[in-house]
Amino acid sequence: MKQVISLRDLEEMLRNGKDVRSLPAEALLTPSARDFLRELETPGNQRARPGESARSSNPATPPTSRSSKADIEAFFNSPPTHELKLQICDIGRRLWQRAYVDGNGGNIAIRVGEGIVLCTPTLISKGFMKPEDLCLVDLEGNQLVGTKKRTSEILMHLQIMKRQPRAVASVHCHPPYSTAFAVAGVEPPTCMIPEFEVFASVAIAPYRTPGTPEMGQLVADLVDKHNTILMANHGVVTWSHNGVEDAYFKMEILEAYCRTVLVASQLGKPVQTMTPAQLQDLLKIKQNLGIPDPRFGLKECELCDNAEWRPGVTCAVPDNSAGNGSAAAAPDPEAEALVKAITDQIISGGR
Ligand SMILES: [Zn+2]
């Protein structure tokens, strides 16, 4: 008897990483299965090629959070999902090697289908994860598959994904220089390095206990116009519309920037900034890349405002140019008079 292949059979084969074009020649195809195969033959359609990059080789119909347990499990154990798991392990290793995570800190999430997210487990160093450690959850944080328990901070990633439909992946960690800004409650100043202006849009979310829905809510409130959120007294979370590596890149860019700004502010010279017109050019590039930024549409005179930025203590570089060394140190008579007036007032007030 000839084998009858339905659309469901083809989808099952794809989920298990099999090549649907290696069907027995005598197999009978149902009409919907025939249409499906024809669609796969369309140039540019990557869906049926196992082993190719993870996003493009996802099964034709990834399960949703409402799919059967068997379908969700098959998807979780399929070769395309395995590729994504390897990618998460790789990003985890890079976070650890760069000292962006400590202890069991940090977490990574990828949206893999409608209402389902692949994420890192709790209580594990992100530098040493194996694909079998990862978890699949729905958007409410209920664990669908995985032997290890999902991270408690997943709620924040899920809130981001619910509020920002373009977010396909998110990364959270504690990089020291960026976290220092988050601890001080200072937004990194702007108009200093092009890479930072183009790829990151930073805001600060107030502190709440990590892993609580309230924390997630405060972060989610900012993801409409920002892709990089400093979490006060905690760390950083980034999201990307391109993929998990892109979300990780934002972390590298932010951390390198915060480090550079801190070093520059200790050199004893005022830091130099680009002009608002120069920033405007970068913002055009950013807009074309589809990256959000609250400054789009602002007038040039409103850009490069670093009023909040207070560089730390700096040691003045001695002015050795001939003639004006002592003049620079000479007291300003006007300032002297002002100090005297204030002092007199304090003394008389104290009697
Ligand atoms: Zn954390």
Side-chain angles (χ1 to χ4, degrees):
M1 204 171 110
K2 286 180 181 173
Q3 195 184 354
V4 179
I5 308 281
S6 68
L7 173 60
R8 205 182 160 77
D9 295 329
L10 293 178
E11 287 176 345
E12 186 68 27
M13 288 176 73
L14 276 179
R15 257 197 288 282
N16 293 322
K18 293 187 185 138
D19 190 345
V20 292
R21 278 162 295 203
S22 61
L23 293 170
E26 71 280 10
L28 285 175
L29 293 166
T30 63
S32 54
R34 206 177 309 120
D35 288 349
F36 182 74
L37 279 184
R38 205 173 296 130
E39 200 198 328
L40 289 178
E41 292 306 325
T42 311
N45 194 329
Q46 305 279 304
R47 294 192 302 185
R49 290 170 206 164
E52 291 202 0
S53 91
R55 278 189 66 73
S56 61
S57 65
N58 264 341
T61 50
T64 71
S65 52
R66 297 175 302 281
S67 299
S68 71
K69 194 162 169 49
D71 275 358
I72 292 174
E73 268 175 21
F75 172 78
F76 185 71
N77 296 316
S78 69
T81 304
H82 186 74
E83 287 293 318
L84 293 176
K85 291 176 184 170
L86 288 174
Q87 214 181 344
I88 289 182
C89 294
D90 176 54
I91 297 294
R93 199 158 27 249
R94 289 153 82 177
L95 289 171
W96 184 83
Q97 279 167 341
R98 279 188 165 263
Y100 292 180
V101 287
D102 37 274
N104 299 319
N107 21 80
I108 304 164
I110 302 180
R111 197 200 296 258
V112 287
E114 194 199 316
I116 51 172
V117 172
L118 188 66
C119 71
T120 48
T122 188
L123 298 177
I124 191 168
S125 165
K126 300 304 155 312
F128 305 90
M129 293 183 295
K130 292 186 228 52
E132 54 269 31
D133 294 329
L134 300 186
C135 317
L136 202 65
V137 296
D138 66 18
L139 282 186
E140 304 312 314
N142 301 311
Q143 183 142 354
L144 302 171
V145 202
T147 50
K148 289 215 158 78
K149 191 177 183 298
R150 51 82 168 159
T151 166
S152 61
E153 285 185 300
I154 191 63
L155 296 179
M156 172 181 69
H157 296 259
L158 299 172
Q159 301 261 46
I160 292 174
M161 288 175 181
K162 279 199 249 182
R163 289 283 279 280
Q164 177 48 273
R166 296 176 65 224
V168 297
S170 47
V171 173
H172 162 61
C173 59
H174 313 143
Y177 290 88
S178 317
T179 303
F181 277 84
V183 168
V186 176
E187 263 180 40
T190 56
C191 297
M192 294 188 194
I193 293 178
E195 192 103 57
F196 174 76
E197 299 300 344
V198 172
F199 295 107
S201 301
V202 178
I204 303 187
Y207 179 82
R208 291 293 185 280
T209 304
T212 56
E214 209 187 350
M215 181 71 253
Q217 194 67 41
L218 287 166
V219 168
D221 285 345
L222 296 165
V223 296
D224 178 29
K225 295 206 165 89
H226 302 91
N227 59 16
T228 304
I229 314 297
L230 293 179
M231 300 158 73
N233 301 86
H234 182 171
V236 188
V237 60
T238 58
W239 66 265
S240 166
H241 65 289
N242 284 325
V244 68
E245 190 176 42
D246 188 52
Y248 165 75
F249 280 165
K250 294 186 197 318
M251 210 59 90
E252 280 193 359
I253 290 165
L254 172 74
E255 181 66 352
Y257 184 75
C258 289
R259 191 174 176 183
T260 306
V261 165
L262 278 173
V263 174
S265 68
Q266 291 165 28
L267 292 177
K269 290 270 189 185
V271 289
Q272 299 187 30
T273 53
M274 59 187 77
T275 65
Q278 288 168 330
L279 178 68
Q280 198 73 283
D281 281 348
L282 297 175
L283 290 178
K284 277 182 207 147
I285 297 171
K286 189 173 203 168
Q287 206 159 12
N288 285 336
L289 291 172
I291 301 171
D293 194 297
R295 296 170 298 180
F296 292 153
L298 290 186
K299 296 190 199 87
E300 272 184 16
C301 61
E302 297 170 299
L303 299 172
C304 295
D305 175 15
N306 282 325
E308 297 282 301
W309 167 239
R310 297 274 179 278
V313 175
T314 57
C315 300
V317 175
D319 186 350
N320 292 327
S321 54
N324 63 4
S326 57
D332 175 353
E334 217 171 284
E336 290 260 291
L338 186 66
V339 169
K340 188 175 182 310
I342 293 170
T343 312
D344 290 349
Q345 212 169 23
I346 292 167
I347 291 168
S348 64
R351 273 180 192 152

